[in-house]
Amino acid sequence: MTSEANPQVYSDATKAKGTPIIECVGVDKFFGDFQALYDINLNVGSQEVVVVIGPSGSGKSTLIRCVNRLEKHDRGTITVDGIELTDDIRNIQEIRRETGMVFQQFNLFPHLTVIDNITLAPRQVRHEPKDEAEAEAMRLLERVGIPEQARKYPGQLSGGQQQRVAIARSLAMKPKVMLFDEPTSALDPEMIKEVLDVMVELAKGGMTMIVVTHEMGFARAVADRVVFMSDGSIVEVGTPEHFFTNPQEDRTKLFLSQIL
Amino acid sequence: MTASAPPVIRRSPTEWVKENLFGNWWSGLVTVVMFPVLVFAAYRTALFVFVNGQWEAVTRNLTLFMQGTFPREEQWRLVVQILLFALAFGIGAGTNAASTRDTAEDAGLSYSRGSFGETLRRMWSLVLFIAILLYFATIDPAGSIWAPFALVAVSGAVAYVGFQARLFPRSLRNLGWLLTAILLLFGFQIVSGFDAGGWIPLALLLAVATWSVIPGERFPSRLIGIAVKVIAVVVVAFVVRLVYAAVDTTGIGWDQWSGLHLTLMTSAIAIVLSFPLGLLLALARRSTLPALRWMSTAYIEFIRGVPLITLLFMGQYVLAFLFPADVELSRITRAIVAMALFTAAYVAEIVRGGLQSLPKGQTEAGQALGLAPPTIMRRIILPQALRAVIPAMVGQFISLFKDSSLLTIIGILEFLGVREIVHAQADFRGVAIAETLVFVAFGYWAFAFAMSRESQRLERRLRVSR
C-alpha cells in the first residue's frame, strides 16, 4: 500500500514537512528464495519521524537496512536525498555518510574508548583534526548526557549508556537521516527511558528519523506517521492518533490487540 | 552502603593438605601413590645435576654454545649487540609499562605500577638461564671470570636506565617505541654491518614515524598535506642513505654466525617476516577477488601439507632455481626464507580464525558510518582479530623458535648443532652426551617459556579494552 493510497490519513502532515528525503519505490528484497520485502513504497519527508512497527520477521529491519545498503534490494529504487542507491560504491558511501544508524546490539567498537568510537569516522572520512573532532565528540556526549564516560571503554558502560554513545557516534557524522533498528530491544527495562529521552530530543531538534521499535509509547508521542508491516509488506500507514484509535486493516487490529 | 572487601578465608597448611591432598579416599590414594614417585624423580634429577653430571662438556665450551664459530677477534660486536638489545629491552618495557598505566588511568581502572623487578620476575626462566651461565663461567678455568659478570651487570644497568622511559611524558610514548625499534636494528647491524641495503630498514622505520608525526589535516588541503608528507619521507630516507654511505662498515655476514646467537637471530627474523606475510595471506584468503583467494588458499594448503624439514631442504636446493642465476642467496638466508614461508601459512590460518570470530555487527557499524572497506579492516576488524589470536600466534612463533633447531640437519651450526663440534673434541667424543643435550634443552625452554609468559601478560593487558 503506497503513501498515495490513503491520502486522507496523513498527507497533510507529510506535505507540511516539505520535500521527501527518502523515497522507496516498488522495493523487493530476497534472501535466497525467501522474499523478505514485497513492493515497498514509502516516502519520508525532511524532519519527519516515521515509526515502523510490526511482528518479528515482518521485514522492518530489512527495510531500513536497505536504505543504507547494509542489505542490497533486488528490485525497485531507493533514493536518499536525491542520490539513488546503485552498485557504485561511491554512491553507497555518500548515502551512508548522510544516514546514521543505531543498532539493536549497539555495535560499539570494544577496542576503542568512547571518545575514539565517536571521532573515528569524522577523522577517517572527513579528515577532521583530532582536537576539533574530540571537541565535537564532547559536545555530543553532553547532549546524550554522559560526558564523564569519554575515556572509558564500551565494556565498562551499561547498556543504556552504550546505546547513547552509539547515537552520539552516528550524530558525529552530521547525518541528515537517522535510522534506528530496535534501539531499545536489547536493554534492561530501567535503561530504556534514558535512550528514548535522547531520541525524543533528537526528534524535537528536527532530525529526520525512521525508527523500528516495539515502544508504542514512543510511537504515540513522537511519530509523525506510523507504518505497520507484516510479512514483508506495508499493511497500513497513518498518523499515531488514527493508527492507535482507528486502525483500518484486520491485520493491524489483530497486532494491536496482541500488544496493547 | 559502605564498601567492604570480600571475606578472606584463612587456612593453615595442615588444613590445606587435608582438604586438597586427602579430601576423599581416591584423592588420598593418588597422593599416597604419587608422592614417592615425585620424591624419587626429584632425587634422581638432583643426583644427575649436582653429583654425576659431567658438566665440563658445557662449561669448557660455553663460548662455543653462545656464539659458535663466530670469529673470536670480532667478539666485541656481540658485546655491543647485547648492550644495545638490553637498552632496547629496557626502553620497550618502560614504555610498555607507562602505556598500560595511561590506558588504565584514563578508563578509571586499577593497575599495578609496572616496575623493573616485576618485569624481571616475569622473565624468571631467562634470569635462571643467565644465572646458570654465570655459574658455569666461574667453573671454566680457561676463560676470564669477571668478563661475563661485568657484561651481565652492565647490561642490567643499561636496561634499568632504559626502563626509566616510563617517566617520559605521554606525548613521547611513540618515541619510546621508535627508539626501541631503532636500537634493535642497530644491535643487529653492529654485527651484520652497515653496508649494502643496510639503510633500508632504518629508512622505512623513520619514514613511517615521519608520516605519522606530520599532522596532514592541518594543511589547507588534503592533497598538500599528503604532498608534504611524501616529500618529508623521501628526504628522511635520502638522509639515512647518505649517513649509511658515509659510515659504510663491513660486518660479519650471517653465514659466519652460529650457536645460540644464530638461533635467536634466525628465529627473530623469521618471526618478523612471517607475521606480515601471514596477515596478507589471511586477507587474500578472505578477499572478494577469486584469483587472490585461490592463490592464497593454494599456498596455505600446500605449505600446511609439507613438513618443515622438506621445505628447509627445498630452500637449499630448489630456491636457487626460482631466482636468476646471478642472485646468490646464502644458506642461512634460504633457511630463514623457508622458515618464514612455512610459519606464514599457519599465521594466516590463525588470523583468519580471528577475523571470523568477530560479530558481523562490527563491520556493519563501520559501513553505516560511511567508512571505506580498507579503513574498516585496518581500524576496526584487524585490531580486534589480532588481539583475539595473540595466544595462538605466539604459540606458533614459539614453535618456529624451537623448529629452528632443524637447521642442524641441513648443516647449519645453531644452538643444537654446536653439540656436534663439542662432541668432536678429543675430551668429549661419545662422552657427556646427556649433559650437553640437557643444557641445550634448558636453553630453548628458558626462551620459549619467557615468550609464553609475555604473551599471557599481553593478553591480560589487552583484555582491559574489551
Side-chain angles (χ1 to χ4, degrees), chain B residues 265-437:
Chain B
M265 291 299 143
T266 47
S267 311
I269 296 168
I271 287 170
V272 169
L273 291 179
S274 67
F275 175 67
L277 193 58
L279 192 59
L280 289 179
L281 281 168
L283 295 179
R285 195 166 185 176
R286 301 245 308 181
S287 164
T288 47
L289 306 174
L292 266 182
R293 203 167 54 232
W294 292 333
M295 273 170 58
S296 162
T297 308
Y299 175 86
I300 291 169
E301 295 307 332
F302 167 72
I303 295 282
R304 292 206 309 162
V306 177
L308 175 56
I309 188 70
T310 316
L311 282 178
L312 285 173
F313 276 119
M314 284 173 74
Q316 300 303 309
Y317 300 109
V318 181
L319 212 55
F321 294 119
L322 301 179
F323 284 89
D326 53 336
V327 175
E328 206 171 295
L329 297 173
S330 76
R331 281 168 48 216
I332 297 199
T333 309
R334 282 180 277 177
I336 289 176
V337 168
M339 290 201 295
L341 291 180
F342 177 79
T343 303
Y346 289 87
V347 168
E349 284 300 273
I350 292 169
V351 171
R352 189 167 69 105
L355 292 173
Q356 280 170 350
S357 72
L358 287 191
K360 206 165 143 237
Q362 289 292 307
T363 309
E364 288 181 350
Q367 288 173 334
L369 287 167
L371 295 173
T375 313
I376 295 177
M377 186 49 79
R378 210 176 65 241
R379 298 280 169 165
I380 299 172
I381 306 301
L382 274 184
Q384 297 185 61
L386 293 181
R387 275 168 209 209
V389 298
I390 285 172
M393 203 141 61
V394 174
Q396 194 61 47
F397 291 153
I398 291 175
S399 217
L400 170 65
F401 168 66
K402 292 184 298 180
D403 288 348
S404 71
S405 58
L406 289 173
L407 297 192
T408 308
I409 300 177
I410 55 172
I412 294 171
L413 294 178
E414 40 61 73
F415 194 35
L416 181 67
V418 167
R419 287 180 64 256
E420 288 177 18
I421 309 182
V422 170
H423 291 297
Q425 294 164 351
D427 288 352
F428 303 114
R429 197 161 296 152
V431 181
I433 297 206
E435 284 80 352
T436 54
L437 268 178

Side-chain angles (χ1 to χ4, degrees), chain A residues 65 68 70 93 96-97 99 101 103 107-111 120-121 123-125 127-132 151-153 155-156 169-170 173, chain B residues 103 106-109 217-218 222 360-373 375 378-381 383-384 387 464-466:
Chain A
R65 287 164 61 87
N68 68 351
L70 288 183
Q93 273 173 11
R96 283 175 179 166
R97 280 163 208 178
T99 54
M101 186 173 221
F103 299 86
N107 293 347
L108 291 177
F109 308 130
H111 62 300
L120 179 70
R123 292 191 62 197
Q124 292 292 323
V125 177
H127 305 284
E128 277 182 26
K130 188 176 182 203
D131 45 359
E132 281 174 32
R151 300 281 166 191
K152 291 198 177 167
Y153 286 91
Q156 296 171 275
R169 180 176 70 175
S170 293
M173 286 301 283
Chain B
T103 315
D106 282 347
L109 294 164
E217 68 269 9
R218 284 269 170 247
R222 196 160 171 250
K360 206 165 143 237
Q362 289 292 307
T363 309
E364 288 181 350
Q367 288 173 334
L369 287 167
L371 295 173
T375 313
R378 210 176 65 241
R379 298 280 169 165
I380 299 172
I381 306 301
Q384 297 185 61
R387 275 168 209 209
V464 170
S465 47
R466 218 174 256 172

Side-chain angles (χ1 to χ4, degrees), chain B residues 175-197:
Chain B
L175 180 69
W177 293 120
L178 182 65
L179 276 179
T180 307
I182 290 177
L183 287 167
L184 287 175
L185 183 63
F186 283 174
F188 181 80
Q189 292 189 329
I190 196 72
V191 179
S192 72
F194 291 81
D195 50 341

Side-chain angles (χ1 to χ4, degrees), chain A residues 6-73:
Chain A
N6 6 342
Q8 76 281 3
V9 179
Y10 54 83
S11 63
D12 295 345
T14 311
K15 276 173 187 158
K17 290 286 186 182
T19 49
I21 192 163
I22 297 174
E23 293 166 284
C24 302
V25 181
V27 173
D28 286 347
K29 165 71 193 167
F30 294 83
F31 290 111
D33 288 338
F34 172 74
Q35 186 163 3
L37 295 178
Y38 289 88
D39 188 29
I40 299 292
N41 294 287
L42 180 69
N43 290 349
V44 178
S46 183
Q47 305 205 331
E48 192 181 13
V49 177
V50 172
V51 170
V52 183
I53 62 173
S56 59
S58 59
K60 313 180 294 285
S61 292
T62 307
L63 172 59
I64 66 166
R65 287 164 61 87
C66 280
V67 171
N68 68 351
R69 210 18 114 80
L70 288 183
E71 306 288 356
K72 183 175 182 290
H73 60 281

